[in-house]
Amino acid sequence: MVTRANNIRETLEHEIISGERQPGDRLDEPQLTKRFDASRTPVREALVELATAGLVEMQPHRSAVVAEISVHQVIQMYEVLAELEGLCARLAARRMTGKERAEFEKLHREIGRLIEKGDRDAFPTLNKQFHDMIHRGAHNEILEDQIGGLNKRLAPYRRIFHDEPHDLSIPYAEHQNVVAAIQNRDENLADQIFKNHTALRADRITDFIAAFDRRFQKRSA
C-alpha cells in the first residue's frame, strides 16, 4: 500500500537524484508540510527513509539537508560499485535469457546510431538503460538493489562528467566488449571488462576531484 510518506519520499528522492536539489540544500519540514499539504508525521517519515538511503542528513535541532559526500567517499563508492557491476556482468553472461540477449544487442546498436548522429543528449538515458539491462539480466534482486542504492547516492555527482564534452566512442567501445563477452557467455571476461568499465580510471580521478571540489565544496556554516 502506497502511503503519504512514500509519495513524499519518492518526490524528494527524484528531486535529489535529478539535481533539482543540490547537496547541502535544506529540507525545511514546515515548508514541506505546507507544500505537500501533509502533517509533520509523514514528512518526517519520508526524511528518515531518505536519510537511511544516504540521500539526506538529519541534524538535531536543525533542518535536514541533502547529503554531501566527500571526494574520498565517492571514490570508495565507485570501488564498491565496480565490484558489484562486474559480478552483475558475470551472472548476466550465465543467466540472461535469449529474449534478454536480443534486447541487449538491440539497445547497444541503438546507442551506436545515436553516437554516429552526435546525439549527446540521449546518451545518458540509454547508457543507464544499458547498465540496467545487465543488472536485470543477473537475476539477483539483492545485487540489483545494492547497485541501485549506490547509483542513487552518486547520481548528483555523476553529472560532473556529463557537463563536459567527452568522446562517447570510448564508452561505446567498452560496451561493445562487454556485449560480446555476455553474448559469448564468457563469465570471467564479462566480469573483468564491466568492472574496468565502471571503475574510475587513474587518469580521470584528478579531473573528477577538481570538478567535485569546485561544484560541491562543503558549505561553511
Side-chain angles (χ1 to χ4, degrees):
M1 179 178 177
V2 178
T3 66
R4 193 64 179 279
N6 286 338
N7 287 331
I8 296 171
R9 176 190 58 76
E10 289 176 359
T11 299
L12 294 176
E13 180 181 276
H14 172 75
E15 292 174 355
I16 293 170
I17 293 173
S18 68
E20 184 176 341
R21 291 183 181 271
Q22 296 289 316
D25 282 355
R26 294 177 60 211
L27 294 164
D28 184 71
E29 285 189 31
Q31 291 181 0
L32 293 175
T33 58
K34 183 177 181 180
R35 173 189 172 186
F36 291 105
D37 190 22
S39 67
R40 187 171 179 270
T41 298
V43 170
R44 167 63 60 153
E45 288 178 3
L47 292 175
V48 169
E49 289 181 15
L50 290 170
T52 301
L55 295 175
V56 165
E57 294 176 359
M58 304 291 285
Q59 306 179 40
H61 312 299
R62 298 177 63 184
S63 296
V65 298
V66 177
E68 294 181 293
I69 307 173
S70 70
V71 174
H72 183 61
Q73 288 174 311
V74 171
I75 293 173
Q76 287 183 328
M77 286 182 192
Y78 268 108
E79 288 175 345
V80 174
L81 184 61
E83 295 296 326
L84 296 179
E85 292 268 32
L87 177 57
C88 256
R90 171 184 291 275
L91 294 177
R94 182 192 311 168
R95 297 175 176 173
M96 263 191 178
T97 65
K99 180 180 179 181
E100 287 173 331
R101 292 174 191 275
E103 292 174 348
F104 187 46
E105 186 80 39
K106 180 180 178 181
L107 176 62
H108 178 60
R109 290 196 299 268
E110 184 178 352
I111 293 173
R113 286 192 293 270
L114 77 86
I115 290 176
E116 288 179 359
K117 294 178 181 178
D119 187 356
R120 305 185 62 85
D121 293 337
F123 181 79
T125 298
L126 291 183
N127 182 59
K128 182 180 183 303
Q129 291 177 14
F130 181 88
H131 283 251
D132 288 347
M133 197 168 286
I134 294 176
H135 302 160
R136 291 193 301 272
H139 295 278
N140 185 313
E141 292 181 0
I142 294 176
L143 181 59
E144 190 174 355
D145 286 345
Q146 292 296 314
I147 290 175
L150 279 171
N151 277 327
K152 285 179 180 179
R153 295 185 69 185
L154 289 166
Y157 304 91
R158 188 175 283 125
R159 283 182 187 78
I160 294 172
F161 297 115
H162 297 310
D163 285 345
E164 301 297 331
H166 56 280
D167 187 356
L168 296 181
S169 66
I170 295 175
Y172 181 73
E174 295 171 352
H175 283 187
Q176 177 61 50
N177 291 334
V178 76
V179 168
I182 288 175
Q183 299 294 53
N184 291 331
R185 303 179 186 273
D186 190 331
E187 299 176 22
N188 292 334
L189 185 59
D191 184 332
Q192 190 60 50
I193 291 173
F194 209 44
K195 183 186 301 180
N196 291 342
H197 171 68
T198 304
L200 289 174
R201 295 189 184 89
D203 61 353
R204 295 179 66 192
I205 290 178
T206 301
D207 291 341
F208 175 82
I209 291 175
F212 188 99
D213 284 340
R214 185 173 64 252
R215 299 189 182 201
F216 298 108
Q217 188 176 27
K218 284 280 188 179
R219 302 177 185 185
S220 57

